[in-house]
Amino acid sequence: MTHDSPEITGGVDTHGLTHHAAVIDRLGRHLADQEFPATIHGYRDLLDWMRSHGRLSAVGVEGTGAYGAELARVLTAAGVTVVDVDRPDRKTRRMRGKSDPIDAYAAATAVASGRATGIPKSRDGAVEAVRVLRCARRSAVKARTQAMNQIRGLLVSAPAALREQVAGLERAALIRTLARLRPGADLSTPLAATRSALRRLARRHQTLTDEITEIDAEIGPLVKQTAPELLALFGVGPETAGQLLASAGDNPERMRSEAAFAHLAGVAPIPASSGRTHRHRLNRGGDRAANNALHTIVLVRMRHDERTRAYVARRTKEGMSKKDITRCLKRFVAREVYRALTSTPTHRITQTDLAPTA
């Protein structure tokens, strides 16, 4: 395109099989819209089609973490500014209607007007690898927990002979014992059928445990290679570090400040003052998985870190509740994590003064 070409903004409504694209000019006038297949060739055709209408300043994409993930990667690789656009709320959809062209034009308008400013995760590095591996690990942990709950449920109503055989055993010994049960060929009796069911569940538990161990062995080196500064923080292990990395993405610089990361993790203090009462409350928004990771770190520090224990004792004497103290500590940990994620040198991280978290 020549320098005299008009400046345009694009918008894309993403779906599983197709993406609907639209372009508007600087005044917000609708220029054109078209549907493209959600394939590599379709993404390239979409970009060429947009550029045929003028100088492409930016593209708003709905669902950059789902259907629009690969499109966002293709556009970014081509040097196009990609903006993450939330879908319109229900009130707006009731007023303006719902269709693919309407949503695509709305995405473009949100970018051109400045309402949408979110920078999407790049999803093109080691952090994305950690995220997908953790998805497999999370489902394996969930299935293992379900198997254990089913084992305990069956033992409650199992015949006394079988219950007494495993009574008082720890979980590891219980699983090994149940996995070696011999139900026999005739499963017509409740005792034999229960033994067969418990053996299958115990062996499933063992298989899932092996799978989780294998995944942990794969995730550990990736986390250590990607964020050694994060792992160096007190109370941060491979599991919590992996979750925090997945929440921040491969491009943590997209978070403008430490406060932005605190909001992302749901640890930014929310004012809850009224009259003579001046206080803050817990933030129930944000990424709850990242919030849980920070909570785990705080629990470890409250038990094993002397400076944290001294802080808890001091704030308790001042009349703060344990819930409010935990909120303050999570905000402080978020500060350390943000600096570690954005490669701030470790020696510049203040680790002795917990007062600013109040």
Side-chain angles (χ1 to χ4, degrees), residues 177-199:
T177 301
L178 295 180
R180 294 194 297 265
L181 289 177
R182 297 178 179 274
D186 183 12
L187 301 181
S188 60
T189 64
L191 179 59
T194 303
R195 283 177 174 171
S196 177
L198 288 172
R199 184 178 67 170

Side-chain angles (χ1 to χ4, degrees), residues 340-351:
L341 289 173
T342 53
S343 300
T344 300
T346 305
H347 68 273
R348 290 174 54 190
I349 300 177
T350 303
Q351 297 191 9

